[in-house]
Amino acid sequence: MNQLIILVVITCVMTQVSFAQKTLETPLSREDMKTDLEWCRKIRDAANSGVYKYRTPAEIDSIYHWATQEIEQFNTVGDFYNIINTITDFEGSLHNTTQLPRKISKNLRSEINGYFPYPIKLIEDEVRINIEGKSLPLGSKIQTINGKKIEKVLTNFYKYYATDGFNLTGKTIGINENFSLYYRFHYGKKEEFEITYQLINQDEVRTASIKSVGYKEYYQNFDQRYSKKIDFYTYAGSKDFKKTKDLYHFQIIDHQIAQLTINTFLIGWHAKDPKHLEYTQFLDSIFTILQEQQILNLIVDVRHNGGGSDPNDLVTYSYLTDRNFMENKEAWIAFQKIPYYRHIRKEVFFLFKPIEKILSNQGIPDAFPDDRNGRYYQDAKSPDHLVRTPKPNAFKGKIYLLVSPTTASAGSLFAAMVAGNENTIVIGEETQGGYYGHNGHIPIRYWLPKSKIRMMFSIVNLEQDVPEKASQPFGSGVMPDYEVEQSLEGFLNQKDTVLDYTLNLIRKNKQVGEKGTNTQK
């Protein structure tokens, strides 16, 4: 009996040791890396319609040639994770993600040291400390970390947060939230961080040595960030939207200015969902008010809108346009039968996988029936190509559209459509979602066999129903007519720089307009 107890204890200890050893530093042979790299390309070429959306075949060849050379220098799961992230980001789709094996992700969350302790905020291209009461004062500008210039550090972090096309502004969203985690990914764990920095409005360069913290403590500090009052909805999850006003709200600022704020399009999952129906009633009521009160200027704020579900975005646009429109001009996928299905491991009991496979494939030919040289397009019967009409009480005045790097997916589709209106002025920063299109709708996840790294991407290549504009280069997000970002002063005073600018612009234009000169777009 005693021997049995001892055997059980030893087994448990060995299991825990084995589990604990699975970290970013877990060895991975170069042969295994090469095998997974080959599968990475096979899978993405076969299943991901966005691989060549922004990149030529020669450019994709080049990134894989680079990856093959990089493998010769490295030997851990973390190293290979960085390589796959670089490929994922290079393609240019905000729905691209690369995830670590589950056990490693779990172990990371249990690490008790090695992480940079303080949240930061990128403000006017500078890295500022974003928490009060710590050894580095609020607003301190970081110059170097452990001897590396902060500009180089940021560039190395870009790969962890994919955006549409060639957009860079959206990467600030990931960096602001996950700066410490990205440092862990790229540079490894550090017991201490040697910092050079400057205080606000001071030229003197100071030095400091700060101790590392654990994963959980860093995110506790992030939750206490100074900017939370202003950027709460940027990082809010579905559980944080506790009231309807968190999702969307409306206010009349004065007799000529009103503001509609839509923080998400996750407002019900379909057209008959009670939450969606409540939202449509809200829209109809407020646009009736705008019409009855003859309000001339409407601020539409989607700066925190990272997307959501149809038809919330489309119904909203129908109140802001005078044209007939569709969701997409065209949409296609690269297959009619899911390729390399054995590399997909969904969250279902394994005995149900054959049934799941049938269900996953049976609807594809019906949804994408039009075969054009190996690309399978939706046809005119698709709901995405339904021609929609403006609402009778659609707004006819001046629209001031507020956008930011957070604006993505359905939020960016909506922003692109509104930005295409002749009566719209766009204010803020470039969105991370593309103006002309994106890959979206249907996400799919594959596992690489040796490393167990997971790759997720959306398979539908979408061309949005928006006009061509000289101010909108291919591969960009929705570009502002007036580029305005949160200023250092606004950050310190917890003021909304972009909204304040917009209100001043409206009132200035109103005054000029009364004198008989139209300065608006």
Side-chain angles (χ1 to χ4, degrees), residues 144-159:
T144 65
I145 300 181
N146 291 339
K148 297 178 175 61
K149 292 184 177 180
I150 196 64
E151 295 82 7
K152 180 63 175 176
V153 171
L154 294 180
T155 301
N156 286 331
F157 292 173
Y158 286 171
K159 60 181 172 286

Side-chain angles (χ1 to χ4, degrees), residues 189-206:
K189 293 171 65 177
K190 305 294 180 183
E191 289 301 317
E192 292 189 344
F193 296 89
E194 302 297 327
I195 311 295
T196 61
Y197 68 100
Q198 292 171 290
L199 298 178
I200 296 171
N201 297 325
Q202 292 191 15
D203 295 330
E204 178 188 359
V205 177
R206 304 182 177 214

Side-chain angles (χ1 to χ4, degrees), residues 13-183:
V13 169
M14 292 302 294
T15 300
Q16 291 298 316
V17 169
S18 175
F19 182 79
Q21 287 175 343
K22 293 186 179 300
T23 69
L24 289 170
E25 288 73 36
T26 297
L28 183 68
S29 73
R30 289 171 186 150
E31 288 305 312
D32 284 348
M33 290 188 199
K34 290 175 182 178
T35 297
D36 274 6
L37 184 64
E38 290 174 3
W39 276 116
C40 174
R41 180 151 199 187
K42 286 179 182 178
I43 289 167
R44 301 183 89 94
D45 276 350
N48 187 355
S49 62
V51 170
Y52 301 100
K53 192 178 186 77
Y54 301 106
R55 302 296 184 180
T56 66
E59 288 173 324
I60 295 298
D61 286 345
S62 177
I63 193 71
Y64 280 96
H65 177 70
W66 166 86
T68 301
Q69 292 181 316
E70 287 292 293
I71 284 172
E72 297 300 326
Q73 306 176 48
F74 298 117
N75 55 17
T76 69
V77 174
D79 295 330
F80 190 61
Y81 174 71
N82 286 332
I83 291 171
I84 298 300
N85 263 301
T86 302
I87 294 170
T88 299
D89 178 52
F90 187 74
E91 286 177 5
S93 172
L94 66 86
H95 290 113
N96 281 1
T97 59
T98 302
Q99 298 170 313
L100 286 164
R102 294 187 185 282
K103 289 183 179 180
I104 292 180
S105 292
K106 185 173 182 179
N107 284 341
L108 280 176
R109 293 192 291 272
S110 300
E111 290 182 330
I112 60 174
N113 57 30
Y115 289 75
F116 187 81
Y118 304 144
I120 59 92
K121 192 168 181 68
L122 283 158
I123 302 172
E124 298 171 332
D125 297 324
E126 296 174 338
V127 177
R128 299 280 181 174
I129 295 297
N130 190 16
I131 192 169
E132 291 185 290
K134 303 297 182 179
S135 59
L136 294 184
L138 174 71
S140 296
K141 181 174 71 173
I142 297 177
Q143 288 194 332
T144 65
I145 300 181
N146 291 339
K148 297 178 175 61
K149 292 184 177 180
I150 196 64
E151 295 82 7
K152 180 63 175 176
V153 171
L154 294 180
T155 301
N156 286 331
F157 292 173
Y158 286 171
K159 60 181 172 286
Y160 301 119
Y161 197 89
T163 54
D164 278 350
F166 311 114
N167 170 266
L168 294 179
T169 62
K171 297 180 183 299
T172 64
I173 305 303
I175 291 172
N176 284 338
E177 180 180 15
N178 302 307
F179 182 87
S180 184
L181 181 63
Y182 292 173
Y183 199 100

